[in-house]
């Protein structure tokens, strides 16, 4: 399957990204060794892991300067952490995501970014979205989407955006974050602004807002969030 170009904003401010189509199988030809935790995993899960790590290696190799770890065996990085979150080599921060059809990675220099978050989701059917909505967002959060091109996929956009935020901040907060601790304030084109709860803001060094970019890509909703390293001027705003 040929993939469309990724959104240009994934590769701004020193970041690099890579994507790969999944075939539903083990994708053993990629040559990525599996961690013990996946010894008994089904073929699809093995393929997702291998494709994700391959995308990670490709993204890291394109960083400038490329980290030394980017040139070693693809099985080595990112490591499989005890909480199953990827552990990136020194000097790199990144994020992985996949659907049934594609795997993606975005990576950047840790000196600029404390965390990166990427997420991809197939649009959730309207009936299921209505059932799950109270767990994901408050009714007022849908108001900025009303009348926009995003309204029909509003649930998926908000869910995916908050997943991207969670991934971006996890290296800093190291805990589960409830969906309601980030609240959509505004939407302009493909740029979303979220207000953070007081607790979360304090943990992030009194950062009160985070910004998400969104795109329709390969029939999915793709979202991205970047958390700047403290003391840097990395562009993480809209």
């Amino acid at each position: 399957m040929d993939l469309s170009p990724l959104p240009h904003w994934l590769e701004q401010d020193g970041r690099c990204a890579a994507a790969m189509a999944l075939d539903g199988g083990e994708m053993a030809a990629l040559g990525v060794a599996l961690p013990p935790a996946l010894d008994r995993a089904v073929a699809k899960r093995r393929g997702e892991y291998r494709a994700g790590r391959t995308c990670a290696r490709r993204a890291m190799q394109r960083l400038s300067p490329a980290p030394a770890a980017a040139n070693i065996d693809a099985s080595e990085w990112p490591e499989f952490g005890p909480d199953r979150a990827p552990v990136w080599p020194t000097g790199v921060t990144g994020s992985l995501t996949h659907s049934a059809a594609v795997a993606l990675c975005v990576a950047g220099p840790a000196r600029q970014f404390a965390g990166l978050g990427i997420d991809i989701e197939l649009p959730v059917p309207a009936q299921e979205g209505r059932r799950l909505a109270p767990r994901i967002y408050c009714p007022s959060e849908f108001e900025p989407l009303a009348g926009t091109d995003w309204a029909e996929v509003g649930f998926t956009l908000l869910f995916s955006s908050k997943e991207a935020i969670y991934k971006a901040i996890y290296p800093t907060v190291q805990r589960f974050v409830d969906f309601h601790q980030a609240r959509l304030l505004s939407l302009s084109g493909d740029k979303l602004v979220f207000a953070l709860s007081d607790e979360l803001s304090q943990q992030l060094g009194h950062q009160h807002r985070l910004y998400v970019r969104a795109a329709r890509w390969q029939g999915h909703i793709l979202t991205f969030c970047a958390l700047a390293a403290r003391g840097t001027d990395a562009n993480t705003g809209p």
Side-chain angles (χ1 to χ4, degrees):
M1 176 176 63
D2 293 331
L3 299 181
S4 303
L6 289 166
H8 68 90
W9 32 257
L10 283 177
E11 299 202 305
Q12 292 177 338
D13 301 306
R15 300 184 298 265
C16 293
M20 174 178 290
L22 300 175
D23 61 12
E26 292 198 10
M27 303 191 75
L30 294 175
V32 177
L34 298 171
L38 295 182
D39 282 346
R40 298 184 180 181
V42 299
K44 177 176 176 291
R45 177 68 188 103
R46 290 170 173 240
E48 291 166 352
Y49 180 90
R50 287 181 168 124
R53 266 51 188 183
T54 300
C55 289
R57 180 178 60 175
R58 292 176 179 176
M60 288 193 293
Q61 286 174 334
R62 293 177 51 230
L63 292 176
S64 181
N71 297 315
I72 63 176
D73 190 333
S75 65
E76 299 294 330
W77 297 102
E79 293 179 340
F80 204 50
D83 55 1
R84 299 210 169 195
V87 179
W88 300 86
T90 301
V92 176
T93 187
S95 182
L96 295 163
T97 189
H98 68 80
S99 69
V102 293
L104 292 89
C105 174
V106 60
R111 66 180 182 275
Q112 289 180 250
F113 300 102
L116 300 174
I118 190 172
D119 188 70
I120 191 167
E121 305 286 341
L122 286 171
V124 174
Q127 184 174 356
E128 183 179 357
R130 286 192 294 270
R131 179 176 63 84
L132 296 173
R135 304 179 188 178
I136 308 302
Y137 60 85
C138 301
S140 62
E141 290 185 81
F142 199 82
E143 292 175 6
L145 309 181
T148 73
D149 293 340
W150 296 105
E152 63 183 72
V153 292
F155 172 85
T156 307
L157 177 64
L158 286 168
F159 173 81
S160 184
S161 295
K162 294 186 180 190
E163 282 285 306
I165 288 173
Y166 174 70
K167 291 180 180 181
I169 66 176
Y170 183 79
T172 300
V173 301
Q174 293 286 309
R175 66 174 178 85
F176 170 78
V177 176
D178 186 85
F179 281 112
H180 293 288
Q181 289 193 271
R183 177 173 53 87
L184 180 65
L185 289 179
S186 64
L187 166 71
S188 177
D190 64 357
K191 304 166 187 176
L192 300 92
V193 182
F194 286 83
L196 306 180
S197 69
D198 290 342
E199 178 188 15
L200 201 53
S201 174
Q202 290 176 5
Q203 282 194 278
L204 296 175
H206 300 285
Q207 181 160 339
H208 301 289
R209 296 183 179 184
L210 283 175
Y211 305 91
V212 173
R213 297 293 292 268
R216 287 177 168 87
W217 183 78
Q218 296 289 138
H220 297 70
I221 302 301
L222 185 159
T223 57
F224 171 72
C225 178
L227 179 65
R230 294 187 187 183
T232 70
D233 57 358
N235 180 17
T236 57

